[in-house]
Amino acid sequence: MTEHSDHHPEHSEYSERDVQREVTELEGKSATAARLFDIRRIIGGLFVIYGVIVTITGLTDSDAAIDKAEGVNINLWTGLGMLLLGLFFLTWLKLRPTAPPPPDAVPADEPRE
């Protein structure tokens, strides 16, 4: 019964070139996903959005809300701090982006022999 599997070796597995092409394609996709879902982009974006909301709340706070916080417009200062932190993360992302995927060692178009 083991002889039957030896008759068709060309259908049994992928060639090394096919496997290498798949690995290269997956590495490229994972690098793109890593850049897209970089944690700095997510944190920076959320802090900017919430910073804007809390800053606007601080600008429109009543005197009673400010008195409640012992005379400090806590929403305004917290919102500005969140906004600065979010901008820091987005600037950091812009100045130091994730590394691009390495170029292919062997282009897929050229046969390797």
Side-chain angles (χ1 to χ4, degrees):
M1 294 215 169
T2 57
E3 296 174 324
H4 185 267
S5 64
D6 293 336
H7 290 301
H8 303 288
E10 66 274 2
H11 297 299
S12 62
E13 292 187 26
Y14 292 108
S15 72
E16 183 181 336
R17 184 170 176 217
D18 291 336
V19 171
Q20 185 61 39
R21 187 175 15 208
E22 277 295 315
V23 167
T24 303
E25 186 177 314
L26 288 172
E27 284 173 347
K29 286 181 182 178
S30 69
T32 301
R35 280 195 304 276
L36 183 62
F37 295 110
D38 190 332
I39 194 73
R40 295 173 295 178
R41 180 184 312 261
I42 295 167
I43 291 173
L46 286 175
F47 267 99
V48 166
I49 290 169
Y50 287 124
V52 167
I53 292 169
V54 175
T55 300
I56 290 172
T57 303
L59 291 172
T60 59
D61 266 349
S62 65
D63 289 336
I66 294 172
D67 289 342
K68 195 175 184 180
E70 298 183 10
V72 177
N73 192 340
I74 194 72
N75 285 331
L76 178 64
W77 292 111
T78 303
L80 290 173
M82 292 171 76
L83 195 55
L84 288 175
L85 184 63
L87 291 173
F88 165 76
F89 272 97
L90 295 177
T91 303
W92 180 21
L93 178 67
K94 190 80 165 165
L95 295 177
R96 307 258 318 161
T98 53
D104 294 343
V106 177
D109 300 339
E110 297 177 14
R112 188 173 49 154
E113 295 186 29

